[in-house]
Amino acid sequence: MSSGIPACPDSLKPIAHFLKVAQEHDARDIVVAYWSRIYALQTGLKLSTKKPEETALLIGLMDWLETTKKANQNNESITNEVVAQAYLENYAFKLFSYADQQDRASNFGKNVVKAFYTAGMIYDVLLTFGEPSDEAQKNSKYAKWKAAYIHNCLKNGETPVPGPMDEGNEEEDEDDELANLAKPPQPQVPQPSTSQGEPSSSLPEPDQSPPTIGFSPYPNPPAPVQTPATPQPTTPDQFQAYSGAAVPAVAAITPTNVQLTGDQMIKAQKYCKWAGSALTYDDVKAAIENLQKALRLLQTGEDSG
């Protein structure tokens, strides 16, 4: 693979998806590439049986991460976990929204598969920072299923059904199809085209970006998020050196003179973010509930969640 990192052995197959996403973003977005490899390394350390080929890959990842972090010391999306989490959430949501728009409009094709697939992987990378929101978990599951479903339909010359389907169908063959999506393209006999898009057994190359409709499939970096604190690292002890620089917790004083911890400030930010996400789906009730939780936490220090 690129970047001087050894190829992924079959015994560490679960991290191949994330290594693929990282490789595709090396030139496009170093932040996505960096945190995708962080997650791949964390998972690989847990799965490793210390075979020589596994050790070679993991050491190669460590070397790449150390070099990249030193070269990007001024990039908060790499050195600050809170900023990085917000960056990746924004990136994944834009990818997901673009793909969902295209899917619901019956504009199927390999670029929509690519956007769904990548969004699902990046939602998983967010596990680096702790338990993701319910919305992120739901989007991740749906994106992976939809990528596999549309890919399979186009490969077989079938027309996909736009939008959600019965939940029971979402589980069918998802793992096998995602495994196929992570593999390098293999020569095949071309399949018949459909009116909605050209079937393909492989994902599009990085430069084959779909047209912008509301969202760019590969979004520009979001504005840095200013925050007074950062959560405690959630990485394994043997990996803390590669999990991003920790920012010391800073207490905050609200107008009601309640002293909040860094974790409480971060939780209040999440409530506000979840409220914004609820409004995206016209869920006014959920937005109000999350804003009320944020206000109560900021005013009293009590978390009603």
Side-chain angles (χ1 to χ4, degrees):
M1 63 188 299
S2 66
S3 308
I5 301 174
C8 181
D10 290 340
S11 56
L12 294 180
K13 184 178 179 181
I15 71 174
H17 303 295
F18 306 100
L19 296 176
K20 177 179 175 64
V21 170
Q23 183 178 359
E24 291 176 343
H25 284 80
D26 277 333
R28 180 185 302 128
D29 193 311
I30 194 62
V31 175
V32 175
Y34 179 83
W35 289 102
S36 295
R37 288 194 174 101
I38 287 252
Y39 185 73
L41 178 56
Q42 288 181 355
T43 305
L45 286 169
K46 296 175 183 177
L47 297 175
S48 176
T49 58
K50 299 184 179 180
K51 294 179 181 178
E53 61 271 23
E54 295 173 350
T55 302
L57 171 61
L58 297 176
I59 291 177
L61 285 172
M62 290 179 184
D63 290 341
W64 185 92
L65 289 167
E66 183 176 4
T67 300
T68 301
K69 187 174 180 180
K70 288 181 179 178
N72 292 270
Q73 293 180 353
N74 296 324
N75 188 337
E76 282 193 294
S77 294
I78 286 180
T79 61
N80 186 321
E81 289 188 353
V82 175
V83 178
Q85 181 177 3
Y87 184 104
L88 293 175
E89 285 178 346
N90 182 58
Y91 192 100
F93 181 72
K94 285 187 176 182
L95 277 172
F96 180 86
S97 297
Y98 162 79
D100 191 47
Q101 275 188 332
Q102 297 301 298
D103 171 55
R104 291 174 187 269
S106 297
N107 296 325
F108 308 115
K110 58 186 180 180
N111 289 319
V112 175
V113 174
K114 180 75 168 183
F116 270 131
Y117 169 83
T118 306
M121 295 300 104
I122 295 177
Y123 275 124
D124 279 352
V125 171
L126 288 169
L127 290 168
T128 303
F129 311 106
E131 189 70 16
S133 66
D134 290 342
E135 177 197 1
Q137 294 182 56
K138 191 179 301 182
N139 286 353
S140 175
K141 179 179 178 181
Y142 182 81
K144 293 175 192 175
W145 164 74
K146 202 67 178 180
Y149 169 70
I150 297 176
H151 171 78
N152 193 46
C153 286
L154 297 182
K155 182 174 65 174
N156 295 327
E158 301 171 357
T159 300
V161 176
M165 294 176 66
D166 294 337
E167 289 189 7
N169 293 333
E170 294 185 14
E171 301 292 341
E172 184 178 359
D173 296 331
E174 177 183 299
D175 291 339
D176 290 341
E177 286 302 317
L178 285 176
N180 290 334
L181 293 177
K183 294 178 181 178
Q186 300 295 326
Q188 293 193 21
V189 177
Q191 299 293 329
S193 298
T194 67
S195 57
Q196 286 79 14
E198 178 184 352
S200 173
S201 60
S202 61
L203 299 178
E205 294 301 319
D207 60 349
Q208 293 177 301
S209 300
T212 301
I213 302 181
F215 292 96
S216 169
Y218 301 111
N220 292 324
V225 177
Q226 300 299 322
T227 177
T230 186
Q232 295 299 318
T234 58
T235 57
D237 292 340
Q238 69 268 41
F239 182 67
Q240 288 183 354
Y242 301 95
S243 62
V247 178
V250 179
I253 303 298
T254 69
T256 54
N257 295 323
V258 175
Q259 189 172 17
L260 301 179
T261 66
D263 287 342
Q264 288 175 317
M265 290 293 293
I266 292 169
K267 189 60 177 292
Q269 292 173 358
K270 287 187 176 181
Y271 281 135
C272 293
K273 179 185 66 180
W274 294 341
S277 298
L279 290 176
T280 301
Y281 294 98
D282 298 326
D283 191 347
V284 177
K285 180 180 178 181
I288 293 174
E289 289 176 353
N290 281 293
L291 288 174
Q292 288 174 336
K293 290 177 182 179
L295 186 60
R296 178 181 177 82
L297 180 58
L298 292 172
Q299 290 180 327
T300 68
E302 298 178 3
D303 187 359
S304 58

